Coordinates of all heavy atoms in Angstrom, one line a residue:
I157 N -18.3 -3.7 16.0 CA -19.2 -3.3 15.0 C -20.3 -4.4 14.9 O -21.5 -4.2 14.8 CB -18.5 -3.0 13.7 CG1 -17.7 -1.7 13.9 CG2 -19.6 -2.8 12.6 CD1 -16.8 -1.4 12.7
A158 N -19.8 -5.7 14.9 CA -20.7 -6.8 14.7 C -21.6 -6.9 16.0 O -22.8 -7.2 15.9 CB -20.0 -8.1 14.5
A159 N -21.1 -6.6 17.2 CA -21.9 -6.7 18.4 C -22.9 -5.6 18.4 O -24.1 -5.8 18.8 CB -20.9 -6.6 19.6
R160 N -22.6 -4.4 17.9 CA -23.6 -3.3 17.8 C -24.7 -3.7 16.9 O -25.9 -3.5 17.2 CB -22.9 -2.1 17.4 CG -23.9 -0.9 17.3 CD -23.4 0.3 16.5 NE -24.4 1.3 16.4 CZ -25.3 1.3 15.5 NH1 -25.4 0.4 14.6 NH2 -26.2 2.3 15.4
A161 N -24.4 -4.4 15.8 CA -25.4 -4.8 14.8 C -26.4 -5.8 15.4 O -27.5 -5.8 15.0 CB -24.7 -5.3 13.6
S162 N -26.0 -6.5 16.5 CA -26.8 -7.5 17.1 C -27.9 -6.8 17.9 O -28.9 -7.4 18.2 CB -26.0 -8.4 18.0 OG -25.6 -7.7 19.2
G163 N -27.7 -5.5 18.3 CA -28.7 -4.8 19.1 C -28.6 -5.1 20.6 O -29.4 -4.5 21.3
N164 N -27.6 -5.8 21.0 CA -27.5 -6.2 22.4 C -26.9 -5.1 23.3 O -26.9 -5.2 24.5 CB -26.8 -7.5 22.6 CG -27.5 -8.7 22.0 OD1 -28.8 -8.7 22.0 ND2 -26.8 -9.7 21.5
F165 N -26.3 -4.1 22.7 CA -25.5 -3.1 23.5 C -26.2 -1.7 23.6 O -25.7 -0.8 24.2 CB -24.1 -2.9 22.9 CG -23.3 -4.1 23.1 CD1 -23.2 -5.1 22.2 CD2 -22.6 -4.3 24.3 CE1 -22.4 -6.3 22.4 CE2 -21.8 -5.4 24.5 CZ -21.7 -6.4 23.6
N166 N -27.3 -1.6 22.9 CA -28.1 -0.3 23.0 C -27.2 0.9 22.7 O -27.3 1.9 23.4 CB -28.8 -0.2 24.4 CG -29.9 0.8 24.4 OD1 -30.5 1.1 23.3 ND2 -30.2 1.4 25.5
Q167 N -26.4 0.8 21.7 CA -25.6 2.0 21.3 C -26.0 2.4 19.9 O -26.3 1.7 19.0 CB -24.1 1.5 21.2 CG -23.5 1.2 22.5 CD -22.0 0.9 22.3 OE1 -21.6 0.6 21.2 NE2 -21.2 0.9 23.3
R168 N -26.2 3.8 19.8 CA -26.5 4.3 18.5 C -25.3 4.6 17.7 O -25.4 4.5 16.4 CB -27.3 5.6 18.7 CG -28.6 5.4 19.4 CD -29.4 6.7 19.5 NE -29.5 7.4 18.2 CZ -29.5 8.7 18.1 NH1 -29.3 9.5 19.2 NH2 -29.6 9.3 16.9
R169 N -24.2 4.9 18.3 CA -22.9 5.2 17.6 C -21.7 4.5 18.2 O -21.7 4.4 19.5 CB -22.7 6.7 17.5 CG -23.7 7.4 16.6 CD -23.4 8.9 16.6 NE -24.4 9.6 15.8 CZ -25.6 10.0 16.3 NH1 -25.9 9.8 17.5 NH2 -26.4 10.7 15.5
Q170 N -20.8 4.2 17.4 CA -19.5 3.7 18.0 C -18.4 4.6 17.4 O -18.5 5.0 16.2 CB -19.2 2.3 17.6 CG -20.0 1.3 18.3 CD -19.7 -0.1 17.8 OE1 -20.0 -0.4 16.6 NE2 -19.1 -1.0 18.6
V171 N -17.4 4.8 18.2 CA -16.2 5.5 17.7 C -15.0 4.5 17.9 O -14.8 4.1 19.0 CB -15.9 6.8 18.4 CG1 -14.6 7.4 17.9 CG2 -17.1 7.8 18.1
I172 N -14.3 4.2 16.9 CA -13.2 3.3 17.0 C -12.0 4.0 16.4 O -12.0 4.5 15.3 CB -13.4 2.0 16.2 CG1 -14.6 1.3 16.7 CG2 -12.1 1.1 16.2 CD1 -15.1 0.1 15.9
M173 N -11.0 4.2 17.2 CA -9.8 5.0 16.8 C -8.6 4.1 16.7 O -8.3 3.3 17.7 CB -9.5 6.1 17.8 CG -8.4 7.0 17.3 SD -8.1 8.4 18.4 CE -6.7 7.7 19.4
L174 N -7.9 4.2 15.7 CA -6.6 3.4 15.5 C -5.5 4.4 15.2 O -5.7 5.4 14.6 CB -6.8 2.4 14.3 CG -8.0 1.4 14.4 CD1 -8.1 0.6 13.1 CD2 -7.8 0.5 15.6
S175 N -4.3 4.0 15.6 CA -3.2 4.8 15.4 C -2.1 4.1 14.6 O -1.9 2.9 14.8 CB -2.6 5.2 16.8 OG -1.4 6.0 16.6
M176 N -1.5 4.8 13.7 CA -0.5 4.2 12.8 C 0.6 5.2 12.7 O 0.5 6.2 12.1 CB -1.1 3.9 11.4 CG -0.1 3.2 10.5 SD -0.9 3.0 8.9 CE 0.5 2.5 7.9
G177 N 1.7 4.9 13.4 CA 2.8 5.8 13.5 C 3.8 5.5 12.3 O 3.6 4.7 11.4
G178 N 4.9 6.2 12.4 CA 6.0 6.0 11.4 C 6.0 6.9 10.2 O 6.7 6.6 9.2
W179 N 5.2 8.0 10.3 CA 5.1 8.9 9.1 C 6.1 10.1 9.2 O 6.0 10.9 8.3 CB 3.7 9.4 9.0 CG 2.7 8.3 8.8 CD1 2.1 7.5 9.7 CD2 2.2 7.8 7.5 NE1 1.2 6.6 9.1 CE2 1.3 6.8 7.7 CE3 2.5 8.2 6.2 CZ2 0.7 6.1 6.7 CZ3 1.8 7.6 5.1 CH2 0.9 6.5 5.4
D180 N 6.9 10.2 10.2 CA 7.7 11.4 10.3 C 9.0 11.2 9.6 O 10.0 10.7 10.2 CB 8.0 11.6 11.8 CG 8.7 12.9 12.1 OD1 8.8 13.8 11.2 OD2 9.0 13.1 13.3
H181 N 9.0 11.5 8.3 CA 10.2 11.2 7.5 C 10.9 12.5 7.0 O 10.4 13.2 6.2 CB 9.8 10.4 6.2 CG 9.1 9.1 6.6 ND1 7.8 8.8 6.1 CD2 9.5 8.1 7.4 CE1 7.5 7.6 6.6 NE2 8.5 7.2 7.4
H182 N 12.1 12.6 7.5 CA 12.9 13.8 7.1 C 13.8 13.4 6.0 O 14.5 14.3 5.4 CB 13.7 14.3 8.3 CG 12.9 14.8 9.4 ND1 12.5 16.2 9.4 CD2 12.3 14.3 10.5 CE1 11.7 16.4 10.5 NE2 11.5 15.2 11.1
S183 N 13.9 12.1 5.6 CA 14.6 11.7 4.4 C 13.9 10.5 3.8 O 13.2 9.8 4.5 CB 16.1 11.3 4.8 OG 16.0 10.2 5.7
S184 N 14.2 10.3 2.5 CA 13.6 9.1 1.8 C 12.1 9.0 1.9 O 11.6 7.9 2.1 CB 14.3 7.8 2.2 OG 15.7 7.9 2.0
L185 N 11.5 10.2 1.9 CA 10.0 10.2 2.2 C 9.2 9.4 1.2 O 8.4 8.6 1.6 CB 9.5 11.7 2.1 CG 8.1 11.9 2.4 CD1 8.0 13.2 3.2 CD2 7.3 12.1 1.1
R186 N 9.5 9.5 -0.1 CA 8.7 8.7 -1.1 C 8.7 7.2 -0.8 O 7.7 6.6 -0.8 CB 9.2 9.1 -2.5 CG 8.4 8.4 -3.6 CD 6.9 8.8 -3.6 NE 6.2 7.9 -4.4 CZ 5.8 8.2 -5.7 NH1 6.2 9.3 -6.2 NH2 5.1 7.4 -6.4
A187 N 9.9 6.7 -0.7 CA 10.0 5.2 -0.5 C 9.2 4.8 0.8 O 8.5 3.7 0.8 CB 11.4 4.8 -0.4
Q188 N 9.4 5.5 1.8 CA 8.7 5.2 3.1 C 7.2 5.4 3.0 O 6.5 4.5 3.5 CB 9.4 5.9 4.2 CG 10.8 5.6 4.4 CD 11.5 6.3 5.6 OE1 11.1 6.1 6.7 NE2 12.3 7.3 5.2
H189 N 6.8 6.5 2.4 CA 5.3 6.7 2.3 C 4.7 5.7 1.4 O 3.6 5.3 1.6 CB 5.1 8.1 1.8 CG 5.1 9.1 2.9 ND1 4.4 10.3 2.9 CD2 5.6 9.1 4.2 CE1 4.5 11.0 4.0 NE2 5.2 10.2 4.8
D190 N 5.4 5.3 0.3 CA 4.8 4.2 -0.6 C 4.5 3.0 0.2 O 3.4 2.4 0.1 CB 5.7 3.9 -1.7 CG 5.8 5.0 -2.8 OD1 4.9 5.9 -2.7 OD2 6.6 4.9 -3.7
R191 N 5.4 2.6 1.1 CA 5.2 1.4 1.9 C 4.1 1.6 2.9 O 3.2 0.7 3.0 CB 6.5 1.0 2.6 CG 6.5 -0.1 3.6 CD 7.8 -0.4 4.3 NE 8.3 0.8 5.0 CZ 7.9 1.2 6.2 NH1 6.9 0.5 6.8 NH2 8.4 2.3 6.7
L192 N 4.1 2.7 3.6 CA 3.0 2.9 4.6 C 1.6 3.1 4.0 O 0.6 2.6 4.5 CB 3.4 4.2 5.4 CG 4.5 4.0 6.4 CD1 5.0 5.3 7.0 CD2 4.0 3.1 7.6
T193 N 1.6 3.8 2.8 CA 0.2 4.0 2.2 C -0.3 2.6 1.7 O -1.5 2.4 1.7 CB 0.3 5.0 1.1 OG1 1.3 4.7 0.2 CG2 0.5 6.4 1.7
K194 N 0.6 1.8 1.2 CA 0.1 0.4 0.8 C -0.4 -0.3 2.0 O -1.5 -1.0 1.9 CB 1.3 -0.3 0.1 CG 0.9 -1.7 -0.4 CD 2.0 -2.4 -1.1 CE 1.6 -3.7 -1.6 NZ 0.6 -3.8 -2.6
H195 N 0.3 -0.2 3.1 CA -0.2 -0.9 4.4 C -1.6 -0.3 4.8 O -2.5 -1.1 5.1 CB 0.9 -0.7 5.5 CG 0.6 -1.4 6.7 ND1 0.6 -2.7 6.9 CD2 0.2 -0.8 7.9 CE1 0.3 -3.0 8.1 NE2 0.0 -1.9 8.8
L196 N -1.7 1.0 4.8 CA -2.9 1.6 5.1 C -4.1 1.2 4.2 O -5.2 0.9 4.6 CB -2.8 3.2 5.2 CG -4.0 4.0 5.5 CD1 -4.5 3.7 6.9 CD2 -3.7 5.5 5.4
D197 N -3.8 1.2 2.9 CA -4.8 0.8 1.9 C -5.3 -0.6 2.1 O -6.5 -0.9 2.1 CB -4.2 1.0 0.5 CG -5.1 0.6 -0.6 OD1 -6.2 1.2 -0.6 OD2 -4.8 -0.3 -1.4
N198 N -4.3 -1.5 2.4 CA -4.7 -2.9 2.7 C -5.6 -3.0 3.9 O -6.5 -3.8 4.0 CB -3.5 -3.8 2.9 CG -2.7 -4.0 1.6 OD1 -3.3 -3.9 0.5 ND2 -1.5 -4.3 1.7
A199 N -5.3 -2.2 5.0 CA -6.0 -2.3 6.2 C -7.5 -1.7 6.0 O -8.4 -2.3 6.4 CB -5.3 -1.5 7.3
I200 N -7.6 -0.6 5.3 CA -8.9 -0.1 5.0 C -9.7 -1.0 4.1 O -10.9 -1.2 4.3 CB -8.8 1.4 4.4 CG1 -8.3 2.3 5.5 CG2 -10.1 1.9 3.9 CD1 -7.9 3.7 4.9
G201 N -9.0 -1.6 3.1 CA -9.7 -2.6 2.3 C -10.2 -3.7 3.0 O -11.4 -4.2 2.8
A202 N -9.5 -4.3 4.0 CA -9.9 -5.4 4.8 C -11.1 -5.0 5.7 O -12.0 -5.7 5.9 CB -8.8 -5.9 5.7
L203 N -11.1 -3.7 6.2 CA -12.2 -3.3 7.0 C -13.4 -3.2 6.2 O -14.5 -3.6 6.6 CB -11.9 -1.9 7.6 CG -13.0 -1.2 8.3 CD1 -13.5 -2.0 9.5 CD2 -12.6 0.2 8.7
M204 N -13.3 -2.6 5.0 CA -14.5 -2.5 4.1 C -15.1 -3.9 3.7 O -16.3 -4.0 3.7 CB -14.1 -1.7 2.9 CG -13.8 -0.3 3.2 SD -13.3 0.7 1.8 CE -14.9 0.9 1.0
L205 N -14.2 -4.8 3.5 CA -14.7 -6.2 3.1 C -15.4 -6.8 4.4 O -16.4 -7.4 4.2 CB -13.6 -7.1 2.7 CG -13.0 -6.8 1.3 CD1 -11.8 -7.7 1.1 CD2 -14.1 -7.1 0.3
G206 N -14.8 -6.6 5.6 CA -15.4 -7.1 6.8 C -16.8 -6.5 7.1 O -17.7 -7.2 7.4
L207 N -16.9 -5.2 6.9 CA -18.2 -4.5 7.1 C -19.2 -5.0 6.1 O -20.3 -5.2 6.4 CB -18.0 -3.0 6.9 CG -17.2 -2.2 8.0 CD1 -16.9 -0.8 7.6 CD2 -18.0 -2.3 9.3
D208 N -18.8 -5.1 4.8 CA -19.7 -5.6 3.8 C -20.2 -7.0 4.1 O -21.4 -7.4 3.8 CB -19.1 -5.5 2.4 CG -20.1 -5.5 1.3 OD1 -21.2 -4.9 1.5 OD2 -19.8 -6.0 0.2
S209 N -19.4 -7.8 4.7 CA -19.8 -9.2 5.0 C -20.8 -9.2 6.2 O -21.5 -10.2 6.4 CB -18.6 -10.1 5.3 OG -18.0 -9.7 6.6
L210 N -20.7 -8.2 7.1 CA -21.7 -8.2 8.2 C -23.1 -7.9 7.7 O -24.0 -8.7 7.9 CB -21.3 -7.1 9.2 CG -20.1 -7.3 10.0 CD1 -19.8 -6.0 10.8 CD2 -20.3 -8.5 11.0
D211 N -23.3 -6.8 7.1 CA -24.5 -6.4 6.4 C -24.3 -5.1 5.7 O -23.3 -4.3 6.0 CB -25.7 -6.3 7.4 CG -25.6 -5.3 8.4 OD1 -25.2 -4.1 8.1 OD2 -25.8 -5.6 9.6
R212 N -25.1 -4.8 4.8 CA -24.9 -3.6 4.0 C -25.1 -2.3 4.8 O -24.5 -1.3 4.5 CB -25.8 -3.6 2.8 CG -25.5 -2.6 1.7 CD -24.1 -2.9 1.1 NE -23.6 -1.7 0.4 CZ -22.6 -1.7 -0.4 NH1 -21.8 -2.7 -0.5 NH2 -22.2 -0.6 -1.0
T213 N -25.9 -2.4 5.8 CA -26.1 -1.2 6.7 C -24.9 -0.8 7.4 O -24.5 0.4 7.5 CB -27.2 -1.5 7.7 OG1 -28.4 -1.9 7.0 CG2 -27.5 -0.3 8.6
A214 N -24.1 -1.8 7.9 CA -22.9 -1.5 8.6 C -21.9 -0.8 7.7 O -21.2 0.2 8.0 CB -22.2 -2.7 9.2
F215 N -21.8 -1.3 6.5 CA -20.9 -0.8 5.4 C -21.4 0.7 5.1 O -20.5 1.6 5.0 CB -20.9 -1.7 4.2 CG -20.1 -1.2 3.1 CD1 -18.7 -1.6 3.0 CD2 -20.5 -0.4 2.1 CE1 -17.9 -1.2 2.0 CE2 -19.7 0.0 1.0 CZ -18.4 -0.4 1.0
D216 N -22.6 0.9 4.8 CA -23.1 2.2 4.4 C -23.1 3.2 5.5 O -23.0 4.4 5.2 CB -24.6 2.0 3.9 CG -24.7 1.3 2.6 OD1 -23.6 1.2 1.9 OD2 -25.8 0.8 2.2
N217 N -23.1 2.8 6.7 CA -23.1 3.8 7.8 C -21.8 4.0 8.5 O -21.7 4.4 9.7 CB -24.2 3.3 8.9 CG -25.6 3.5 8.3 OD1 -25.9 4.4 7.6 ND2 -26.5 2.5 8.7
T218 N -20.7 3.6 7.9 CA -19.4 3.7 8.5 C -18.6 4.9 7.8 O -18.6 4.9 6.6 CB -18.6 2.4 8.4 OG1 -19.3 1.4 9.1 CG2 -17.2 2.6 8.9
V219 N -18.0 5.7 8.6 CA -17.2 6.8 8.1 C -15.8 6.5 8.4 O -15.5 6.2 9.6 CB -17.6 8.2 8.6 CG1 -16.7 9.3 8.2 CG2 -19.1 8.5 8.3
I220 N -14.9 6.6 7.5 CA -13.4 6.4 7.7 C -12.7 7.7 7.3 O -13.0 8.3 6.3 CB -12.9 5.3 6.8 CG1 -13.6 4.0 7.1 CG2 -11.4 5.1 7.0 CD1 -13.3 2.9 6.1
F221 N -11.9 8.2 8.2 CA -11.1 9.4 7.9 C -9.7 9.3 8.5 O -9.5 8.5 9.4 CB -11.8 10.7 8.3 CG -11.8 10.9 9.8 CD1 -10.8 11.8 10.3 CD2 -12.8 10.4 10.6 CE1 -10.8 12.0 11.7 CE2 -12.8 10.7 12.0 CZ -11.8 11.5 12.5
T222 N -8.8 10.0 7.9 CA -7.4 10.1 8.5 C -7.2 11.5 8.9 O -7.8 12.5 8.4 CB -6.4 9.7 7.4 OG1 -6.5 10.6 6.3 CG2 -6.6 8.3 6.9
E223 N -6.2 11.7 9.8 CA -5.9 13.0 10.4 C -4.4 12.9 10.8 O -3.9 11.9 11.2 CB -6.8 13.2 11.6 CG -6.7 14.5 12.3 CD -5.7 14.5 13.4 OE1 -5.4 13.5 14.0 OE2 -5.2 15.6 13.7
T224 N -3.8 14.1 10.8 CA -2.5 14.2 11.3 C -2.4 15.4 12.2 O -3.2 16.4 12.0 CB -1.4 14.4 10.1 OG1 -0.1 14.4 10.7 CG2 -1.7 15.5 9.3
E225 N -1.4 15.4 13.1 CA -1.4 16.5 14.1 C -0.3 17.6 13.7 O -0.2 18.6 14.4 CB -1.1 16.0 15.5 CG 0.3 15.6 15.8 CD 0.8 14.3 15.2 OE1 0.0 13.6 14.5 OE2 2.0 13.9 15.5
F226 N 0.4 17.4 12.6 CA 1.4 18.4 12.2 C 1.5 18.5 10.7 O 1.2 17.5 10.0 CB 2.7 18.2 12.9 CG 3.5 17.0 12.5 CD1 4.3 17.0 11.4 CD2 3.3 15.8 13.2 CE1 5.0 15.9 11.0 CE2 4.0 14.7 12.8 CZ 4.9 14.7 11.7
G227 N 1.9 19.6 10.2 CA 2.1 19.8 8.8 C 3.5 19.6 8.4 O 4.4 19.4 9.2
R228 N 3.7 19.7 7.1 CA 5.0 19.5 6.5 C 5.3 20.6 5.5 O 4.4 21.2 5.0 CB 5.0 18.2 5.7 CG 5.1 16.9 6.5 CD 6.3 16.9 7.2 NE 6.7 15.6 7.6 CZ 7.8 15.3 8.4 NH1 8.6 16.3 8.7 NH2 8.0 14.1 8.7
T229 N 6.5 20.9 5.3 CA 6.9 21.9 4.3 C 6.7 21.2 2.9 O 6.6 20.0 2.8 CB 8.4 22.3 4.4 OG1 9.2 21.1 4.3 CG2 8.7 23.0 5.7
F230 N 6.4 22.1 1.9 CA 6.2 21.5 0.6 C 7.4 21.2 -0.2 O 7.4 20.4 -1.1 CB 5.3 22.5 -0.2 CG 3.9 22.6 0.3 CD1 3.4 23.8 0.9 CD2 3.0 21.6 0.2 CE1 2.1 23.9 1.4 CE2 1.7 21.6 0.7 CZ 1.3 22.8 1.2
Q231 N 8.5 21.9 0.1 CA 9.7 21.6 -0.6 C 10.6 20.7 0.1 O 10.6 20.6 1.3 CB 10.5 23.0 -0.8 CG 9.7 23.9 -1.7 CD 10.5 25.2 -2.0 OE1 11.5 25.5 -1.4 NE2 10.1 25.9 -3.0
S232 N 11.4 19.9 -0.7 CA 12.3 18.9 -0.1 C 13.4 19.6 0.8 O 13.8 20.8 0.5 CB 13.0 18.2 -1.2 OG 14.0 17.3 -0.7
N233 N 13.8 18.9 1.8 CA 14.9 19.5 2.6 C 16.3 19.1 2.1 O 17.2 19.3 2.8 CB 14.7 19.0 4.1 CG 14.7 17.5 4.2 OD1 15.1 16.8 3.2 ND2 14.4 17.0 5.4
G234 N 16.4 18.5 1.0 CA 17.7 18.1 0.4 C 18.0 16.7 0.6 O 19.0 16.2 0.1
T235 N 17.3 16.0 1.4 CA 17.5 14.5 1.6 C 16.3 13.7 1.2 O 16.1 12.6 1.8 CB 17.9 14.2 3.1 OG1 16.8 14.6 3.9 CG2 19.1 15.0 3.5
L236 N 15.6 14.2 0.2 CA 14.4 13.5 -0.3 C 13.3 13.4 0.8 O 12.5 12.4 0.7 CB 14.7 12.2 -0.9 CG 15.7 12.2 -2.1 CD1 16.0 10.8 -2.6 CD2 15.2 13.1 -3.2
G237 N 13.3 14.3 1.7 CA 12.3 14.3 2.7 C 11.7 15.7 2.9 O 12.1 16.6 2.1
T238 N 10.9 15.9 3.9 CA 10.4 17.3 4.2 C 10.5 17.5 5.7 O 10.6 16.5 6.5 CB 9.0 17.5 3.8 OG1 8.1 16.5 4.4 CG2 8.8 17.3 2.3
D239 N 10.5 18.7 6.1 CA 10.6 19.1 7.5 C 9.2 19.6 8.1 O 8.3 19.8 7.3 CB 11.7 20.1 7.8 CG 13.1 19.6 7.5 OD1 13.3 18.4 7.8 OD2 13.9 20.3 6.9
H240 N 9.1 19.7 9.4 CA 7.9 20.2 10.0 C 7.6 21.6 9.6 O 8.5 22.5 9.5 CB 8.0 20.1 11.5 CG 8.2 18.8 12.0 ND1 7.2 18.0 12.5 CD2 9.4 18.0 12.1 CE1 7.7 16.8 12.9 NE2 9.0 16.8 12.7
A241 N 6.4 21.9 9.2 CA 6.0 23.3 8.9 C 5.6 24.0 10.2 O 5.4 23.4 11.2 CB 4.8 23.3 7.9
W242 N 5.5 25.3 10.1 CA 5.2 26.1 11.3 C 3.7 26.2 11.5 O 2.9 26.2 10.7 CB 5.9 27.4 11.4 CG 5.9 28.1 10.1 CD1 6.8 28.0 9.1 CD2 4.9 29.0 9.6 NE1 6.5 28.8 8.1 CE2 5.4 29.5 8.3 CE3 3.7 29.6 10.1 CZ2 4.6 30.4 7.5 CZ3 3.0 30.5 9.3 CH2 3.5 30.8 8.0

């Protein structure tokens, strides 16, 4: 992102993809998700601080989103987790 801001790479857009596994919880979902969401929050917060330190344009022109490839049932499966939805 900093290299693009320098103008030396002649790129109008960048796509940076990161992967964070470990979300497939069939039991003790809440405890595990609390830990993972805190980790994700810290990572996004660090990215935002880093972007803001580059320049306000980099911060203002960055889109962050999350995505998952499968759904979950809404009701507990009996072990404080959920199973894959169809």
Side-chain angles (χ1 to χ4, degrees):
I157 293 171
R160 181 192 176 276
S162 73
N164 294 331
F165 289 94
N166 196 27
Q167 291 182 342
R168 293 183 55 218
R169 291 180 182 85
Q170 284 178 295
V171 176
I172 301 169
M173 186 180 96
L174 304 173
S175 178
M176 181 179 171
W179 296 87
D180 191 8
H181 302 124
H182 294 272
S183 63
S184 304
L185 183 138
R186 178 63 192 264
Q188 295 180 72
H189 275 203
D190 285 353
R191 179 182 52 81
L192 286 168
T193 53
K194 183 174 178 64
H195 183 70
L196 180 61
D197 181 57
N198 289 338
I200 291 173
L203 172 63
M204 294 176 75
L205 286 173
L207 288 169
D208 199 34
S209 72
L210 290 174
D211 62 49
R212 193 64 195 188
T213 303
F215 182 88
D216 289 341
N217 291 325
T218 298
V219 175
I220 300 170
F221 74 95
T222 61
E223 183 269 337
T224 182
E225 80 283 2
F226 66 89
R228 287 293 201 184
T229 57
F230 290 113
Q231 294 185 345
S232 174
N233 61 6
T235 60
L236 302 177
T238 61
D239 293 321
H240 300 262
W242 42 271

